[in-house]
Structures are given as C-alpha cells and as structure tokens.
Amino acid sequence: MNKIQIAPSILSADFSRIGEEVKNITRDGADVIHLDVMDGTFVKNITFGPKFVKDIRSYSSAIFDAHLMIINPWKYIENFAKAGADIITVHYEACQEKLKQTLKDIKSLNVKCGAVINPDTPASAIENVVEECDMILLMSVFPGFGGQKFIPEVLPKIEEIAKMVQKSGKNVDIEIDGGINLENVASVKNAGANVIVAGSTVFNEIDRKAMIEKLRNA
Ligand code: DX5
Ligand code: ZN
C-alpha cells in the first residue's frame, strides 16, 4: 500500500491568519495541504480561488492538493496549476463525459490529477479513468461544509476502488475526505485509503501536531 499521508483541510483554519495557519500546520506534520475550492453552484458554499492559493504557496513546502468543487472545472485548472497546486482533483459529477479529457488536460500542465466521486456515486462511474489518475478521492460526506458526519457506507466503495487500482497495475493514491476522526480513521485505512483528509478534527485541536500523529498511527 502507498504511504499514509495526512492532509489537513484548511477549510477549518482561520482565514484571517491563513499564512500562519498553513505554515504552522506544515511544521506540525501535514504531508499535504488540502485546498477546498467551492463556487456556490456545484456546492452550497463559497471559499477561495487561485489568488488565495498563490498567496499561501510560499508558507509551505507540503503538497498542495486542490479539490475543485466547481462547475466547468476545466476553465480553471490552468490558473490553479500556475498558482502552485501540485495535484488537482475534479468531480465526476461536474465533468461527466468530459472527465477523462479534463484529467489529461491537468496532466499536460505538469500537475498530478485525480477524479472525485460523491458518496452516492458508484465506483463504476470512474472505472474508465483509473489509469489516468494519480489519485482517486472518495467523499465520505456530501461536499460543501467541514464538520459533517462520516458516512460509513463509503467503506465498501474504498475497497472496490482499491481493487480497481490493483487491477490497473498503476500507482494510484486513494484519498478519503469528510468526517474523518480517531474513531473511523483505522477503518478507512484498512479499506485501502492512504491519503487522509481531516479538517475539523485537526484544526479544532490545540495540539494539532499530536492529532496529526494520532491520525497517522491509528
Ligand atoms: C467538504 C470538504 C472537506 C472538508 C473536510 O466539502 O471537501 O475537505 O473540509 O472537513 P471535515 O474533516 O471537518 O469533515
Ligand atoms: Zn475536500
């Protein structure tokens, strides 16, 4: 299995001190900074765009993982690549039949790419793009907000995706996002996830370093 990576979602950080928050969470052991980009249309919330990503880039040497929860994501991939994203993930639900081409377009920008599926989208929806992906992101909440409750029905889907990845023979990370905490992190790892997003679980702690370590070792 690929290396476990802990990916704090800055959605739960204090945006008024975002540079410091990103710097400190990197010092505290984050492997990946998970960037939740929301447009108020694909999801019912609005966060930030490429300028914000560009401005925080110099505060961290961790991997910048841009999770685009926006419609027509292909219009913005170049801007996020230029802003310093190391990997860009796009939703199957936003791309549909354009998913494969969008993934190829991301790769052509020299950035890693990934496909995302919502809790109610079956693994089969992305079977034809596994080979294009550096990462597959499975949502364990409906996207839009941090601090929601983990949907355990996603566990068999992680296993299904892990089998698809194994069959493809490619090295593809499996990322899980939404409601991850110390109670459920071992179960998502056992099912095959290796990139663990955690927003509120990490940022609501005073000792974030200890929490990142606990999530890593659980
Ligand atoms: C939800 C976002 C998640 C969210 C995770 O739309 O994609 O990344 O910030 O936050 P927690 O870990 O609090 O569920
Ligand atoms: Zn996310």
Side-chain angles (χ1 to χ4, degrees), residues 1-10 31-36 63-69 87-91 112-118 126 133-141 150 154 157-159 161-162 165 172-178 180 188-189 191-199:
M1 193 172 116
N2 288 353
K3 184 175 162 265
I4 297 290
Q5 298 176 59
I6 305 299
S9 162
I10 59 160
D31 305 285
V32 174
I33 305 292
H34 184 80
L35 303 162
D36 285 311
I63 294 163
F64 268 26
D65 164 28
H67 172 197
L68 303 190
M69 288 161 274
I87 178 158
I88 298 176
T89 65
V90 291
H91 271 259
K112 290 187 173 179
C113 71
V116 193
I117 52 174
N118 277 341
I126 53 166
C133 291
D134 297 296
M135 185 160 81
I136 292 172
L137 168 50
L138 302 180
M139 294 307 301
S140 42
V141 299
F150 177 74
V154 77
K157 197 161 63 175
I158 303 176
E159 290 176 7
I161 293 285
V165 166
V172 182
D173 287 314
I174 300 179
E175 183 176 42
I176 185 81
D177 182 10
I180 300 299
V188 298
K189 287 183 196 170
N194 72 295
V195 183
I196 312 295
V197 177

Side-chain angles (χ1 to χ4, degrees), residues 29-207:
D31 305 285
V32 174
I33 305 292
H34 184 80
L35 303 162
D36 285 311
V37 178
M38 305 185 186
D39 66 354
T41 300
F42 182 71
V43 291
K44 287 187 193 146
N45 195 4
I46 300 179
T47 55
F48 50 79
K51 166 78 162 55
F52 184 93
V53 175
K54 181 168 174 277
D55 287 356
I56 61 175
R57 182 64 272 195
S58 64
Y59 288 86
S60 174
S61 53
I63 294 163
F64 268 26
D65 164 28
H67 172 197
L68 303 190
M69 288 161 274
I70 63 178
I71 59 164
N72 305 329
W74 46 86
K75 288 189 183 173
Y76 302 95
I77 55 180
E78 191 173 353
N79 290 342
F80 282 102
K82 282 188 180 150
D86 297 300
I87 178 158
I88 298 176
T89 65
V90 291
H91 271 259
Y92 161 77
E93 298 82 7
C95 298
Q96 308 260 343
E97 72 285 354
K98 286 188 177 170
L99 180 59
K100 195 177 239 180
Q101 189 56 48
T102 306
L103 293 166
K104 286 184 188 203
D105 291 346
I106 295 169
K107 273 200 282 201
S108 73
L109 298 163
N110 286 321
V111 169
K112 290 187 173 179
C113 71
V116 193
I117 52 174
N118 277 341
D120 58 353
T121 298
S124 58
I126 53 166
E127 194 159 14
N128 67 327
V129 300
V130 170
E131 301 212 342
E132 302 297 335
C133 291
D134 297 296
M135 185 160 81
I136 292 172
L137 168 50
L138 302 180
M139 294 307 301
S140 42
V141 299
F142 285 90
F145 297 92
Q148 300 183 75
K149 200 172 170 295
F150 177 74
I151 300 172
E153 285 75 19
V154 77
L155 287 169
K157 197 161 63 175
I158 303 176
E159 290 176 7
E160 221 180 313
I161 293 285
K163 280 193 193 123
M164 276 184 197
V165 166
Q166 207 180 9
K167 206 172 118 195
S168 77
K170 303 260 171 178
N171 180 24
V172 182
D173 287 314
I174 300 179
E175 183 176 42
I176 185 81
D177 182 10
I180 300 299
N181 56 34
L182 289 177
E183 273 82 70
N184 55 37
V185 67
S187 67
V188 298
K189 287 183 196 170
N190 287 337
N194 72 295
V195 183
I196 312 295
V197 177
S200 47
T201 291
V202 169
F203 279 97
N204 291 354
E205 285 293 309
I206 301 205
D207 191 348

